[in-house]
Amino acid sequence: MRKSKVPFIMYLIAVMLVACVPGVALADGVPTFTLSTGAETVVPKQELEISFTGSNLKELYAYEALISYDPDVVELEKADSKIEGFFVPPKANDGKITLAFTKVGQKAGEQGSKVLSTISFKGKKQGESNIKLISVKALKPDLTATLVRYGSTFADLEGYEWARNEIEELASAGIIKGTSAITFSPGDNISRADFISLLVRALHLHADIDDNFDDVTQSDYYYQEVGIAKKLGIAQGMDLYQFEPRVSISRQDMMVVAARAMKVAGRQLDDAATDLSGFQDPGEVAAYAVTPLAQLVKKGIIQGDYGRIKPNDTATRAEAAVIIYRIIQ
């Protein structure tokens, strides 16, 4: 019996992750969710129990809640579900945890007000715990979903509204990481290695690594992802031996490797696409990049920057997040 339930459970959780439309506005009667944060200031070894509560629930069948905290001040101890169903124990990741829950089979959803889960933290040093509820995705038995957003995972996204949702969603899924627990640094350039790593994680690419570039060592945090990309022909380097992983990637090179990765992942692109006439600067695009850029334009992944491609500009972390998000959609 257990073997037959597990795929069904994982299917429901997968549906929960992709079914809801980002940025749904709140409407009358929408369920609300809160955290009882307890003591905001903690001291070393202090136990802190947080209740995650839902109010005005209407057939809540599954949920995914993103919670952030200061990992320098508190650490996650455990989390438990207070309602019957399948609960995924959260893992701490750069000051964020995700609570995931679903009922199993033909069960009625939760109604009214309920404590859905309790989360236990322990103080590491004296300071503000900064435990915050960021967002909740709520799913009904008919698989209709609602996203309720309460705040931002990162505190430095002002001025980047065009990329905020994409950054938040990728961070929630564990695909992209901030430069700290509370910052994303959206305007910083993104390196060649970091963008390759994003692609490999986002598209779930795998390969057996038998070698790597000479300037990528096993102690590098991106060794595995760059090695996979090299093996699959996505990362071709500046020559046969050098990848220059820490060099900022250009916008056109970002698009070229994105197109290669999509093809490896089985995403269809039009090999005949070459039209960049809708932009003001197609003459600045290198010959090797024309077809990949045109393919992504035709697919709707590249939309330009005020009518320009700006192929030789360096790509920012915010731009990379938007590209990755569109690819996996």
Side-chain angles (χ1 to χ4, degrees), residues 46-48 50 69 74-77 119-122 131:
Q46 178 183 345
E47 298 290 339
L48 185 61
I50 307 298
Y69 62 96
V74 294
E75 60 185 347
L76 175 67
E77 290 280 282
I119 311 105
S120 297
F121 292 91
K122 179 183 287 187
I131 300 171

Side-chain angles (χ1 to χ4, degrees), residues 6 16 19-20 48 64 98 100 119 126 136 155 174 207 219 247 262 267 270 321:
V6 170
M16 175 181 65
C20 41
L48 185 61
E64 180 191 68
T98 298
I119 311 105
Q126 184 169 348
V136 180
S219 62
V247 171
M262 289 181 70
R267 310 292 180 91
D270 184 356

Side-chain angles (χ1 to χ4, degrees), residues 172-250:
S172 299
I175 295 172
I176 203 166
K177 298 180 180 180
T179 51
S180 76
I182 59 173
T183 60
F184 183 74
S185 305
D188 286 1
N189 294 336
I190 189 167
S191 70
R192 291 165 53 82
D194 282 348
F195 186 71
I196 285 291
S197 297
L198 283 178
L199 278 174
V200 169
R201 289 198 297 267
L203 293 171
H204 305 289
L205 301 177
H206 301 280
D208 293 328
I209 301 175
D210 45 28
D211 70 340
N212 215 321
F213 295 100
D214 289 350
D215 54 356
V216 178
T217 65
Q218 289 191 2
S219 62
D220 292 326
Y221 66 85
Y222 45 76
Y223 178 85
Q224 184 77 9
E225 289 84 356
V226 172
I228 290 171
K230 183 177 188 293
K231 180 74 172 183
L232 297 176
I234 297 167
Q236 297 181 357
M238 307 305 287
D239 57 35
L240 291 176
Y241 308 104
Q242 302 294 312
F243 182 65
E244 298 189 1
R246 298 183 184 277
V247 171
S248 298
I249 194 169
S250 69

